[in-house]
Structures are given as C-alpha cells and as structure tokens.
C-alpha cells in the first residue's frame, strides 16, 4: 500500500502514462481512450475507499496545514491553468474550467479556447515582451506546446477568443526555462566557431557538431 500523501493537485501534475501506472497498482484496468479527468476521479474514489476501510489510512492531503485528515472528493470547480517543463523545448500544459465558466462559454457564439504563451524579460513583469496563441484540443484539457528558443521566463494564459473580443480566464505562475550553453544554442553548420586550445583537445567541436546533426529538431 502506498503511504505517501496523494492529492488531486498531485495527480493533475502526472502524465497520462504515470496515471495509468498508478491505476495499475490499485488493480484498475484503464481503457486506452479513457479521459484523463475520469481516471483521476476514479483514483481518488479508490483511495478514499481504502482510507475508510483500512486501519492504515491513506491521507488525501489538501496541501494546507490542518489538524485533522480530510478525504477530498469531487472537483475543485475552479478555472486554472498550469504548465510543467518536459525539457527546455517542450512544455506540458494542463487546465480546468469551472462549471460556471463552462456554462458561460457555451452561451458565447463562435467562442474558441486558446493558450496564450507569454514571454517575460523579468519574472515580475506584468506585460509580456511577446506572446503567441495555441489552439486547444476540443476533447482534452492538456497538451504539449513547443517553446521558442532563447526564452527564459514564460507565463501561460488560458483565454477565450471571439471574432470581436477575448478574455483571460486564468493564468499560470511564471515558469523559468533552463538556459543551455551559448556555444550549443548558437551552433550552426557552416558557421566558424572559435574554440580555445583546451576545448579543441577535448573533442568538443566534434561532439557539438554531431549533437546538432542528430538533435537540432529539439531546439
């Protein structure tokens, strides 16, 4: 039996494959086309049942400092968006829309839900340097987004757009992107790159060239 605290927030940070693996530990057979949200609800229900029927109770934590343990069920019913870096090139974005917001969106003609990726010069900036929008999948609440090269701070906004207007529904915390070595980021075939004698002896020039040939699609 797993003895770590498991919360909805924690489950929502896991990939679908990780959720399937966790479900397998509890003996749950997951169909390939099962919606990710349904799987999370199923896991929470199973954990809640075990906490009620087993002497070694599993605590589903609210993430707050409270004196008594509490089992959480249902949905937080909040409109939220967040992101986790898969690597410096790809961002995994996931979101949730409250029932009230979902009802309002259904009443707006030609409403489109999008992710706005904002680039910031400083993590405390409120106005982005630049931004671009990504169309969301209609049948999902998660997707991967390719991050432009050379960016250090980004923020995700969940927005709805119509022909005449748009509005931000939620925004994520600022995400810091790890920065690679300049010689790797700026390397291009055909460009003359000066290496120090020590770096030349290490074989770095050949390593970087091979890396660029084999993995440039990731940058």
């Amino acid at each position: 039996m797993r003895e770590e605290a498991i919360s909805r927030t924690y489950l929502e940070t896991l990939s679908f494959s990780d959720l399937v693996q966790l479900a397998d530990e509890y003996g749950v057979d997951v169909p390939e086309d099962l919606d990710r949200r349904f799987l999370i609800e199923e896991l929470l229900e199973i954990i809640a049942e075990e906490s009620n029927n087993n002497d070694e109770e599993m605590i589903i934590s609210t993430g707050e400092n409270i004196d008594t343990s509490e089992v959480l069920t249902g949905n937080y019913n909040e409109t939220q968006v967040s992101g986790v870096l898969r690597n410096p090139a790809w961002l995994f974005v996931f979101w949730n829309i409250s029932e009230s917001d979902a009802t309002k969106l259904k009443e707006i003609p030609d409403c489109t839900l999008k992710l706005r990726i904002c680039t910031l010069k400083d993590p405390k900036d409120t106005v982005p340097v630049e931004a671009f929008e990504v169309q969301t999948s209609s049948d999902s609440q998660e997707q991967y987004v390719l991050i432009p090269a050379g960016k250090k701070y980004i923020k995700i906004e969940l927005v709805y757009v119509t022909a005449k207007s748009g509005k931000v529904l939620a925004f994520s915390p600022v995400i810091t992107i790890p920065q690679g070595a300049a010689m790797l980021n700026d390397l291009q075939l055909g460009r003359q790159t000066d290496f120090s004698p020590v770096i030349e002896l290490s074989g770095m020039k050949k390593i970087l060239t091979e890396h660029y040939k084999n993995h440039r699609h990731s940058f």
Side-chain angles (χ1 to χ4, degrees), residues 46-185:
I46 293 173
I47 293 169
E49 288 177 2
E50 288 196 5
S51 67
N52 291 331
N53 300 327
N54 198 301
D55 292 333
E56 297 178 8
E57 290 188 351
M58 175 165 293
I59 300 173
I60 302 178
S61 173
T62 62
E64 300 177 353
N65 295 325
I66 54 178
D67 296 331
T68 58
S69 302
E70 181 179 355
V71 175
L72 298 181
T73 58
N75 197 304
Y76 283 148
N77 198 26
E78 294 182 1
T79 300
Q80 302 172 328
V81 62
S82 190
V84 178
L85 285 175
R86 178 182 180 185
N87 55 43
W90 286 96
L91 177 68
F92 178 70
V93 183
F94 53 98
W95 61 93
N96 183 61
I97 300 178
S98 67
E99 294 179 2
S100 60
D101 283 341
T103 301
K104 293 177 182 178
L105 293 177
K106 291 179 181 179
E107 297 174 352
I108 302 176
D110 302 324
C111 176
T112 303
L113 194 66
K114 294 186 177 183
L115 300 174
R116 180 180 295 152
I117 311 301
C118 303
T119 301
L120 307 176
K121 185 176 182 180
D122 185 271
K124 296 181 180 180
D125 289 348
T126 56
V127 179
V129 177
E130 58 183 9
F132 66 93
E133 294 180 350
V134 178
Q135 179 66 54
T136 62
S137 303
S138 59
D139 58 347
S140 176
Q141 291 178 293
E142 59 185 49
Q143 71 185 67
Y144 281 99
V145 176
L146 181 63
I147 304 172
K151 308 305 179 184
K152 189 171 183 180
Y153 302 107
I154 59 174
K155 182 175 66 174
I156 311 160
E157 293 180 347
L158 181 65
V159 302
Y160 75 81
V161 179
T162 66
K164 297 182 179 180
S165 64
K167 181 179 179 181
V168 177
L169 295 172
F171 57 87
S172 73
V174 175
I175 300 171
T176 302
I177 303 174
Q179 302 299 295
M183 67 172 62
L184 176 60
N185 293 337

